[in-house]
Amino acid sequence: SAVISQKPSRDICQRGTSLTIQCQVDSQVTMMFWYRQQPGQSLTLIATANQGSEATYESGFVIDKFPISRPNLTFSTLTVSNMSPEDSSIYLCSVGLGQGGQPQHFGDGTRLSIL
Amino acid sequence: DAKTTQPTSMDCAEGRAANLPCNHSTISGNEYVYWYRQIHSQGPQYIIHGLKNNETNEMASLIITEDRKSSTLILPHATLRDTAVYYCIVRVEYDYKLSFGAGTTVTVRA
């Protein structure tokens, strides 16, 4: 498996501001993903972070709200823009290590609270 | 759309085997069964996965029925640290996307 580090681990932000979350992996990976986990809920995939091209967003998530960068095979960022209290969630990065049926592995997430 | 059905919650006795069921009656031939767990305040932890054969690793065993419509995750000797939400997920080999349901909240009691 890979070691996945997310920064910050938690933050409290004011509404209307933006926050960028970083995800660093200790080895080169093919696939990187961003998930959201709202309070008391399960995980929902936001987007697939593609290296060298735009991210692929799932239904209900848009680039203007959640811009994603993936400059190389070990790093990605997710920005939560113009935040409102409804954006209070845990945001998780995950990676896919190889082809075929290989599993994804997750970081411990960023716990975000919006006041 | 939920592809798997799991009980909402289960209680297990410490030191005993915990058997977690999962129904996936619409599974396709190229879909794997994955199990993850999420301990409070942590990211999901991969446990095990399989296609059609039973699998075992250092954490658990996965038993898949012959028709592949259901599976059971077995934690052989549950400890208090196994208290978590357990997710059963089906996924095609070539698509990394994971669709998480509500999972089973497992509480291991001393």
Side-chain angles (χ1 to χ4, degrees), chain A residues 37 42 98 100-102 104 108, chain B residues 34 36 38 91 93 96 100-101:
Chain A
Q37 187 170 27
S42 189
Q102 293 304 305
Q104 285 185 35
D108 277 339
Chain B
Y34 292 81
Y36 285 80
Q38 188 173 26
R91 193 204 95 189
E93 178 180 2
Y96 268 95
F100 284 81

Side-chain angles (χ1 to χ4, degrees), chain A residues 31 33 35 37 42-43 45 58 92 96 98-104 106-108 111, chain B residues 32 34 36 38 40-44 46 49 87 91 93-94 96-98 100-102:
Chain A
M31 312 290 285
F33 305 88
Y35 288 80
Q37 187 170 27
S42 189
L43 284 77
L45 179 64
E58 298 299 306
L92 299 114
Q99 300 302 316
Q102 293 304 305
Q104 285 185 35
F106 288 78
D108 277 339
R111 188 178 297 270
Chain B
Y32 287 75
Y34 292 81
Y36 285 80
Q38 188 173 26
H40 184 62
S41 297
Q42 298 181 19
Y46 164 74
H49 74 285
Y87 298 100
R91 193 204 95 189
E93 178 180 2
Y94 52 83
Y96 268 95
K97 296 178 185 179
L98 294 177
F100 284 81

Side-chain angles (χ1 to χ4, degrees), chain A residues 81-93:
Chain A
S81 303
N82 188 25
M83 291 183 286
S84 67
E86 293 71 35
D87 294 318
S88 297
S89 296
I90 302 172
Y91 293 87
L92 299 114
C93 169

Side-chain angles (χ1 to χ4, degrees), chain A residues 29-34 45 47-57 68-70 72 75-77 94:
Chain A
V29 296
T30 307
M31 312 290 285
M32 294 183 78
F33 305 88
W34 288 97
L45 179 64
T48 302
N50 302 309
Q51 197 265 331
S53 64
E54 272 196 6
T56 304
Y57 290 85
I68 289 171
S69 77
R70 174 122 188 245
N72 56 52
F75 186 78
S76 178
T77 66
S94 75

